[in-house]
Amino acid sequence: MATDLPGPVSPSPRAASDGTAVRVEGLTRAFDGRPVIDKLDLTLRPGEFTVLLGRSGCGKSTLLRVLAGLDRDIEGTVLVPKRRAVAFQAPRLMPWKRVWRNVLLGLDGKPGRAVAESALEEVGLGHRSSAWPKTLSGGEAQRASLARALVREPDLLLLDEPFGALDALTRLNAQRLVAELWQRRGCAVLLVTHDVEEALLLADRALVMRDGVIAYETEVALDRPRSVGDPGFPALRSRLLTELGVDEPAAPGAAV
Ligand SMILES: Nc1ncnc2c1ncn2[C@@H]1O[C@H](COP(=O)(O)OP(=O)(O)OP(=O)(O)O)[C@@H](O)[C@H]1O
Ligand SMILES: [Mg+2]
């Protein structure tokens, strides 16, 4: 859910002013005395598309919540742009508000319906502006959630497995949409995904989180638009899977 935050509390997310979109230094977040994030450092450049991979439970959503300002029970330095928005795996639409009102939820300054409709047009959902959330398909609800993030005109867009619940075809379309929106808007994106191929199709840089820190990172220097058949793809895919502790199946015809 996109969010606007109250004023800073210390320690709190503040705007980075040194040409980076996000600067995190020595971030620690513990639950019941157990650090899930443990002195983590991270820098995101303005306009960069970064993906965050890591095994289930390693702390990806926890990190995103901190960057979104939804969790301030932290130690360390977190500098983020003032304008940021987050979309979660579940679209989290309010069922008693029409789609366009959901898009504007929590925005300052009472913006008009036209603002919502322009964001809905951008995600191909202009025709469902008056609909009730329960009448949307899963993919449409996810696009409404993206529209809600976009009306915030974020400099940093945080996406926590936004395509996780979608079928394969809808997922492909949603990936394309996010790539287009990113190219048009030029905001920094941090996308959490479990899908290495998705990561390599979309990102400038892939990060792997492990043991509470960013344990591995790689540039994804492939030309766009990308396809899984690109020559550079297999090596990057294989390396990321290794970093994630996943053994790749033997290639067809490989000796056993
Ligand atoms: N509010 C909380 N109270 C206690 N423990 C929590 C809380 N939030 C998260 N945790 C724990 O912190 C760890 C990291 O959780 P997190 O949701 O960040 O993982 P994740 O990497 O996003 O996993 P997944 O890929 O399954 O979504 C987990 O062990 C989780 O149980
Ligand atoms: Mg998670």
Side-chain angles (χ1 to χ4, degrees):
M1 189 173 78
T3 181
D4 285 341
L5 298 164
V9 191
S10 189
S12 83
R14 286 177 285 136
S17 56
D18 57 356
T20 60
V22 170
R23 191 153 57 81
V24 173
E25 285 168 7
L27 173 66
T28 295
R29 174 56 161 118
F31 294 111
D32 308 319
R34 183 177 70 93
V36 168
I37 299 176
D38 196 3
K39 302 191 188 74
L40 178 144
D41 296 332
L42 169 69
T43 303
L44 302 182
R45 294 181 279 267
E48 185 181 37
F49 198 129
T50 308
V51 291
L52 179 62
L53 297 151
R55 294 197 139 193
S56 181
C58 75
K60 304 179 297 296
S61 295
T62 303
L63 176 59
L64 244 67
R65 288 177 56 78
V66 169
L67 295 179
L70 299 172
D71 180 357
R72 294 177 175 213
D73 198 359
I74 56 171
E75 286 168 35
T77 304
V78 177
L79 302 175
V80 288
K82 194 167 185 309
R83 285 201 306 214
R84 57 202 188 281
V86 56
F88 296 101
Q89 176 169 0
R92 300 188 182 190
L93 302 174
M94 302 295 171
W96 56 88
K97 286 187 185 286
R98 293 184 192 272
V99 167
W100 71 271
R101 287 199 184 275
N102 263 283
V103 168
L104 299 181
L105 214 63
L107 268 187
D108 290 337
K110 299 216 182 308
R113 180 168 178 165
V115 172
E117 292 199 333
S118 135
L120 285 165
E121 290 291 343
E122 210 174 336
V123 300
L125 214 57
H127 61 298
R128 304 306 312 271
S129 167
S130 300
W132 296 106
K134 68 170 187 300
T135 68
L136 300 182
S137 72
E140 287 173 338
Q142 198 50 266
R143 280 186 278 151
S145 168
L146 266 179
R148 188 170 50 189
L150 291 177
V151 290
R152 280 146 178 90
E153 302 195 348
D155 294 316
L156 173 64
L157 180 58
L158 301 161
L159 302 172
D160 195 352
E161 300 192 57
F163 320 128
L166 304 180
D167 66 84
L169 189 59
T170 312
R171 187 182 177 110
L172 272 180
N173 286 331
Q175 286 170 355
R176 262 189 224 127
L177 175 64
V178 165
E180 271 171 37
L181 293 174
W182 166 68
Q183 271 166 344
R184 199 177 319 136
R185 294 290 188 113
C187 54
V189 175
L190 183 61
L191 167 75
V192 172
T193 177
H194 279 111
D195 183 334
V196 169
E197 286 187 352
E198 182 168 286
L200 293 175
L201 286 172
L202 291 172
D204 295 317
R205 198 152 58 101
L207 313 174
V208 177
M209 193 168 172
R210 197 168 57 228
D211 301 328
V213 295
I214 305 302
Y216 175 76
E217 68 169 86
T218 182
E219 300 288 329
V220 184
L222 303 173
D223 292 339
R224 287 190 166 89
R226 297 173 181 168
S227 99
V228 290
D230 290 342
F233 218 89
L236 281 166
R237 180 175 180 280
S238 174
R239 178 64 201 266
L240 283 174
L241 286 172
T242 303
E243 291 294 336
L244 290 164
V246 178
D247 288 329
E248 276 198 278
V256 276

